[in-house]
Amino acid sequence: MPVPVPRQRIDSAAPPGASGTATDLTLLVVEDDPAGALAVPELLDAAGTRVRIRTARNLTEAERLLTDDVHCVLVDLALPAPRTAEDDPLAPLRHILRLAPRHAVLALAASADAELAAEAVRVGAQDHLFREELDGRLLSRAIRYAVERKRADAVQVKLTESRLRAQENARLERGLLPTPLLEGSDLRFAARYRPGRSRALLGGDFYDTVRTPDGTVHVMIGDVCGHGPDEAALGVELRIAWRALTFAGLCGDELLSTLQQVLEHERESDEIFATLCTVDIAPDGRRAGMCLAGHPSPLIARHGRAAQLLPYEDSGPALGLLPRARWPRRQVELGATWSLLMYTDGLIEGRSAGPDSPRLGQDGMVEMINRQLAQGLRGEELLDAAVTEVRSLNGGELTDDVAVLALERDRARG
């Protein structure tokens, strides 16, 4: 018959808590021999760790004693298997693993069953012990190791789940960004997008551009107030609704009124609103219609002339502010060669010379863009330079979402 494990004495050179890591642990021993390997109520090792011991004679009793304060379960592989799995020598262990998915588990076996003990670890136990070699020091060390390994495994599982979730969210957010539909158009399009949320790919800013069958190019940029995932989701909904309504033939006031209804139905509170700028460019590329809903006016650079803001007069309120608002459509002459820059307020609300300096504002942005145009920058290079300089002037990362896009027409090409 196995010899009971004696109670460990505290080493006089290592008083309880001296290492700063001593923590009481509770062990549940599941074996059907009342005078088996463990016949003491607790162990106390040289590190000052007290291990309280509970015993269960069968799996039913183990289920009753397996409470949240148990840190580790020691399962005797010689336990009778449940009737439904009598041919499986590891059935008692599998049963405990199902009952205690968050607990550390040790397998107890005879030294003659070394292969079975090793299989127990492959099945899910943190370690195995041989009954003939068992003593208090070995058991205490095995329990601490099993508990820490279980914790490490749980942390690794959470990290893996978090990484997979982050990858899935990244793929989802990338998929929600628009793909311009400009086939058949001689206009060149470029866009840059920087969400204000840390580690996010999508913010409350949104944009899109499509070419309808009549040759008209429609472009839109907008901004939902706020910076969280709910605002990002609402921005996506508004962008998709705009694309569908545009292909259905709506524009101007009729389109914006319908978008406001979408916003009112989808927003979480009545305080949520969105600014919007829409531009529809005629098939000949020389004229456009523009609607502003509380949004900053676009910047246009015509051939041989400095860039300037398009008129802001006759603009309407942001979507979601007034229930029966109207948004006039203003005609704009573009000319033969031009570049149109549309942006959200994240581009102009950064600081002009570091913290506590005045905001860059629209005047500062116009000056910056004209300087970059004079350097010969166009398209994607222009947008990259603009966003980079705005961040530099701000003295660090911008806290607001930034979306900026450019449409260009070259007279030589059209």
Side-chain angles (χ1 to χ4, degrees):
M1 179 177 293
V3 179
V5 176
R7 176 181 175 126
Q8 288 290 118
R9 299 281 181 189
I10 299 176
D11 190 331
S12 59
S19 65
T21 60
T23 303
D24 288 352
L25 299 172
T26 300
L27 173 70
L28 175 61
V29 179
V30 188
E31 63 173 352
D32 62 353
D33 186 352
L38 294 173
V40 293
E42 67 179 32
L43 304 173
L44 191 63
D45 65 13
T49 301
R50 178 177 284 104
V51 181
R52 298 185 176 89
I53 298 174
R54 299 178 189 171
T55 57
R57 298 186 180 182
N58 51 56
L59 295 175
T60 301
E61 190 173 345
E63 185 172 357
R64 180 175 60 83
L65 295 176
L66 189 61
T67 53
D68 289 339
D69 59 334
V70 171
H71 297 88
C72 185
V73 183
L74 179 65
V75 185
D76 187 352
L77 298 183
L79 278 172
R83 291 182 179 179
T84 56
E86 291 181 350
D87 296 334
D88 183 4
L90 293 177
L93 173 65
R94 298 183 198 275
H95 186 81
I96 290 296
L97 291 173
R98 286 193 297 269
L99 289 178
R102 296 186 301 273
H103 293 73
V105 176
L106 293 169
L108 181 64
S111 57
D113 294 326
E115 186 175 339
L116 182 64
E119 181 65 21
V121 175
R122 287 192 290 270
V123 167
Q126 273 62 59
D127 203 353
H128 63 76
L129 298 169
F130 293 126
R131 185 177 290 105
E132 294 83 355
E133 301 172 1
L134 192 62
D135 61 24
R137 187 181 300 275
L138 175 62
L139 179 61
S140 296
R141 185 169 64 248
I143 293 170
R144 288 198 304 272
Y145 169 79
V147 169
E148 291 306 317
R149 181 175 175 182
K150 185 66 177 181
R151 288 173 179 168
D153 290 345
V155 169
Q156 185 60 43
V157 168
K158 289 182 179 179
L159 287 175
T160 301
E161 291 176 348
S162 178
R163 186 162 52 248
L164 292 174
R165 188 160 51 247
Q167 292 172 352
E168 182 178 345
N169 289 340
R171 288 194 297 270
L172 177 61
E173 288 187 333
R174 279 194 295 269
L176 293 175
L177 289 173
T179 300
L181 299 179
L182 292 175
E183 185 177 356
S185 172
D186 63 350
L187 302 183
R188 288 176 292 181
F189 175 83
R192 288 295 180 268
Y193 192 95
R194 294 180 67 90
R197 288 186 296 141
S198 175
R199 300 180 180 179
L201 294 175
L202 201 63
D205 291 0
F206 54 99
Y207 67 90
D208 204 353
T209 181
V210 298
R211 182 175 185 263
T212 48
D214 64 356
T216 302
V217 171
H218 304 261
V219 59
M220 168 272 291
I221 193 167
D223 182 2
V224 177
C225 66
H227 311 290
D230 291 335
E231 288 77 13
L234 182 56
V236 171
E237 291 179 271
L238 292 175
R239 179 186 68 78
I240 294 173
W242 175 86
R243 177 175 283 202
L245 294 170
T246 298
F247 278 122
L250 276 66
C251 70
D253 180 76
E254 186 180 12
L255 186 150
L256 292 176
S257 296
T258 308
L259 280 181
Q260 174 158 282
Q261 294 179 38
V262 173
L263 183 145
E264 290 171 344
H265 285 295
E266 299 297 333
R267 64 185 176 182
E268 289 194 343
S269 71
D270 292 342
E271 287 73 31
I272 300 296
F273 63 89
T275 67
L276 198 70
C277 172
T278 67
V279 175
D280 53 278
I281 302 168
D284 63 8
R286 293 175 173 271
R287 295 167 290 104
M290 179 182 70
C291 289
L292 293 174
H295 199 85
S297 184
L299 185 71
I300 187 165
R302 298 181 178 92
H303 181 65
R305 297 161 59 181
Q308 61 181 8
L309 294 170
L310 289 174
Y312 191 78
E313 292 80 7
D314 297 328
S315 63
L319 303 181
L321 292 182
L322 300 176
R324 289 179 293 276
R326 288 292 177 262
W327 294 273
R329 180 176 175 272
R330 185 185 186 95
Q331 283 288 338
V332 178
E333 291 297 326
L334 300 176
T337 300
W338 49 265
S339 177
L340 185 69
L341 190 75
M342 301 171 67
Y343 53 93
T344 57
D345 58 10
L347 189 69
I348 59 177
E349 290 191 345
R351 301 296 174 178
S352 59
D356 301 324
S357 64
R359 303 283 185 184
L360 177 64
Q362 286 181 297
D363 292 339
M365 179 199 64
V366 172
E367 181 182 347
M368 177 188 71
I369 295 298
N370 274 319
R371 186 172 62 254
Q372 293 167 347
L373 288 171
Q375 297 170 4
L377 299 180
R378 296 292 187 275
E380 294 185 354
E381 291 183 347
L382 175 64
L383 300 188
D384 286 336
V387 173
T388 299
E389 184 167 344
V390 165
R391 290 179 61 227
S392 177
L393 293 172
N394 189 59
E397 194 60 67
L398 299 165
T399 57
D400 197 3
D401 303 330
V402 176
V404 56
L405 55 89
L407 272 173
E408 296 181 346
R409 182 174 187 269
D410 191 336
R411 178 174 52 184
R413 300 179 57 186

